[in-house]
Amino acid sequence: MKENSLSRSAGLLPPCLTFGLVFSLMLSLSAMAQTAAAPAVTVIRAGTLIDGKSNTVRRDQVIVIRGNQIESVSDAAGAKIPDGAQVIDLSKSTVLPGLIDSHTHIFLQGEDPAKGGYDANILNQPLAMRAARATVSARRALEQGFTTLRDLETEGAGYGDVGIKEAIEQGYIPGPRMFVVTRAISTTGGYPLEGYAPELDMPKGAQIVDGPVEARKAAREQLDHGADWIKVYMTHRSWVGKNGELVSQPTLTVEELHAIVDEAHGWGKKVACHAYSGIGLHRALDGGCDSIEHGLDLDDAAIAQMLKQGTWYVPTLSVYYAAWAPADTEDGQRDRLRAAVHEPSFRKALKSGVKIVFGTDMGGIPWTEPIAQEFSRMVEFGMQPMDAIQSATSRAAVMLDMEGKIGVVAPGAYADIIAVNGDPLRDIKLLERVQFVMKDGQVFRAK
Ligand SMILES: [Zn+2]
């Protein structure tokens, strides 16, 4: 990630200046290395530790943190506290790794349809306003113990997510580690703004492509401008079919998707696909998507293919239970059907061993609501609390190619650590009330 942003900014300078800058940076870095103090040492006393990976809970642990990394985790009895270490006493708490939400939108704010909804956000808000609000979303995530987000597109705010990510990395604003996708990709007729006079050239919430050549070009542009993942909308509108089934409109063809996946994989990046059901879901799998987002109606063939291909499943359950249209409207019936098919899809995927990862679609839900509400829904639909926690820690880390670095409290991982009062394995809702947040060795919240 760092390499990417460094090479991008260096690329803006003429070669001679780049060399000069790098050379003087090297000089100043070596001077700093001689004078800088050793990294600070912090020790956390953990009453109970859920490390994010192991199914076993450990009592009375001592976690030694040097700088931004965890150095050791050991039983308190016999543990040596390094000289001069700052000690944080969480001996009455349950300590966990920082949580990971793998499906968010920091540039959406749960827009109220009565106030113009999605369209007003794009048409009326200056970009600076949207960016300012995105910084608040990022801070709220961190406050709630989510130390990493995979943010799945800016909804018309271009490459704003890359800017927010850089501002967090450079310490200008507080926020989680960010994996960003920039603009996302769909086809003509496959994304809002919609319903305006055809003579008007309206902005769209995603980058619109038609044909494999345009699809590949869009992926190249987005990757060139800092996308960590590519996001593709494989279905768009949905409605209740003649036989009461959920129908969703497919968007990209397999050929179009394949061009994107082929390009992204060549860059060592992955592709997240929004897909509800039917034709679009099967094209998503045939085209090689790495993660299926939402997956409202997973038929048996889709589940078998996900298992075979190792596809990740980010169900985002809660958002489909919020803000249903009135029951006597077409939209209202569709909203109820979506939720009705989602639960059995989730249960089937869970039972078959599909790799399920925690994601919320925050932004679709206002950021003022608890992000961790998704845990309750997962547990209600049959997931064990420890499994739900791992879906937001070590399993998400594997999907993000960050195994051992995030989503685990273990030597060599970044010091992203949270704590709650009580036992979240008995009451998963406790994760909605995180008391302590450390990211990268820095305490962000302690209460
Ligand atoms: Zn989303």
Side-chain angles (χ1 to χ4, degrees), residues 103-105 108 152-153 155 231 233 274 294 316 361-362:
H103 191 132
T104 64
H105 300 278
L108 287 183
L152 283 188
E153 87 127 321
E155 310 283 358
K231 162 83 175 282
Y233 286 91
H274 167 117
H294 316 303
T316 71
D361 223 348
M362 289 307 288

Side-chain angles (χ1 to χ4, degrees), residues 173-205:
I173 55 169
R177 298 175 193 282
M178 300 290 295
F179 291 82
V180 300
V181 308
T182 75
R183 301 178 63 190
I185 297 171
S186 191
T187 53
T188 296
Y191 215 73
L193 304 181
E194 303 173 310
Y196 294 87
E199 295 75 20
L200 295 175
D201 191 11
M202 300 304 290
K204 298 290 178 185

Side-chain angles (χ1 to χ4, degrees), residues 240-269:
V240 181
K242 288 190 198 80
N243 303 313
E245 77 283 21
L246 182 72
V247 184
S248 51
Q249 166 211 344
T251 51
L252 283 80
T253 62
V254 174
E255 291 70 28
E256 288 167 330
L257 175 61
H258 191 253
I260 293 168
V261 170
D262 183 58
E263 189 66 27
H265 286 180
W267 290 57
K269 308 286 187 186

Side-chain angles (χ1 to χ4, degrees), residues 263-297:
E263 189 66 27
H265 286 180
W267 290 57
K269 308 286 187 186
K270 291 179 178 164
V271 180
C273 289
H274 167 117
Y276 277 5
S277 65
I279 299 168
L281 170 66
H282 283 278
R283 286 184 190 169
L285 292 168
D286 290 344
C289 287
D290 297 289
S291 72
I292 295 293
E293 307 299 312
H294 316 303
L296 300 188
D297 196 3

Side-chain angles (χ1 to χ4, degrees), residues 114-444:
K115 292 181 183 162
Y118 183 89
D119 292 21
N121 191 34
I122 291 189
L123 291 172
N124 303 342
Q125 303 289 326
L127 202 49
M129 173 70 162
R130 293 193 64 192
R133 296 188 75 186
T135 67
V136 178
S137 311
R139 195 188 71 220
R140 286 208 172 116
L142 189 56
E143 277 170 356
Q144 295 179 50
F146 285 81
T147 51
T148 300
L149 301 182
R150 187 183 61 154
D151 197 67
L152 283 188
E153 87 127 321
T154 61
E155 310 283 358
Y159 294 90
D161 50 359
V162 177
I164 299 287
K165 173 186 162 170
E166 288 179 357
I168 292 168
E169 284 181 354
Q170 292 173 29
Y172 291 111
I173 55 169
R177 298 175 193 282
M178 300 290 295
F179 291 82
V180 300
V181 308
T182 75
R183 301 178 63 190
I185 297 171
S186 191
T187 53
T188 296
Y191 215 73
L193 304 181
E194 303 173 310
Y196 294 87
E199 295 75 20
L200 295 175
D201 191 11
M202 300 304 290
K204 298 290 178 185
Q207 186 166 4
I208 301 299
V209 302
D210 293 294
V213 173
E214 284 186 18
R216 188 179 290 272
K217 184 168 186 191
R220 284 177 179 160
E221 279 176 12
Q222 294 182 8
L223 292 162
D224 187 30
H225 293 313
D228 300 305
W229 277 65
I230 296 290
K231 162 83 175 282
V232 182
Y233 286 91
M234 289 304 295
T235 59
H236 180 40
R237 295 178 185 85
S238 59
W239 59 90
V240 181
K242 288 190 198 80
N243 303 313
E245 77 283 21
L246 182 72
V247 184
S248 51
Q249 166 211 344
T251 51
L252 283 80
T253 62
V254 174
E255 291 70 28
E256 288 167 330
L257 175 61
H258 191 253
I260 293 168
V261 170
D262 183 58
E263 189 66 27
H265 286 180
W267 290 57
K269 308 286 187 186
K270 291 179 178 164
V271 180
C273 289
H274 167 117
Y276 277 5
S277 65
I279 299 168
L281 170 66
H282 283 278
R283 286 184 190 169
L285 292 168
D286 290 344
C289 287
D290 297 289
S291 72
I292 295 293
E293 307 299 312
H294 316 303
L296 300 188
D297 196 3
L298 299 178
D299 53 58
D300 292 345
I303 290 195
Q305 197 170 354
M306 289 172 82
L307 285 169
K308 184 162 163 250
Q309 295 177 189
T311 314
W312 304 90
Y313 177 36
V314 186
T316 71
L317 301 165
S318 305
V319 73
Y320 292 96
Y321 288 81
W324 285 344
D328 56 354
T329 62
E330 262 182 42
D331 283 358
Q333 305 224 325
R334 176 207 59 196
D335 292 348
R336 282 157 182 79
L337 179 59
R338 282 173 175 178
V341 297
H342 210 174
E343 177 178 347
S345 293
F346 179 84
R347 286 184 184 274
K348 267 194 294 186
L350 182 65
K351 202 167 160 216
S352 328
V354 170
K355 298 182 290 186
I356 299 177
V357 168
F358 179 102
T360 55
D361 223 348
M362 289 307 288
I365 301 170
W367 283 93
T368 44
E369 287 193 26
I371 303 172
Q373 63 182 289
E374 180 76 8
F375 285 115
S376 302
R377 210 53 91 166
M378 295 169 109
V379 169
E380 185 191 331
F381 291 171
M383 201 176 215
Q384 292 298 315
M386 185 64 104
D387 196 5
I389 289 170
Q390 289 172 0
S391 81
T393 53
S394 60
R395 195 174 308 126
V398 174
M399 182 180 81
L400 295 170
D401 294 323
M402 292 287 280
E403 186 176 13
K405 288 290 170 193
I406 59 173
V408 67
V409 178
Y414 292 119
D416 293 358
I417 295 171
I418 65 166
V420 295
N421 286 335
D423 181 2
L425 299 178
R426 283 176 179 226
D427 179 7
I428 198 78
K429 281 189 94 59
L430 290 175
L431 292 171
E432 294 177 25
R433 295 192 297 279
V434 167
Q435 305 286 319
F436 172 87
V437 180
M438 171 185 275
K439 182 197 152 207
D440 235 3
Q442 308 258 348
V443 176
F444 178 71

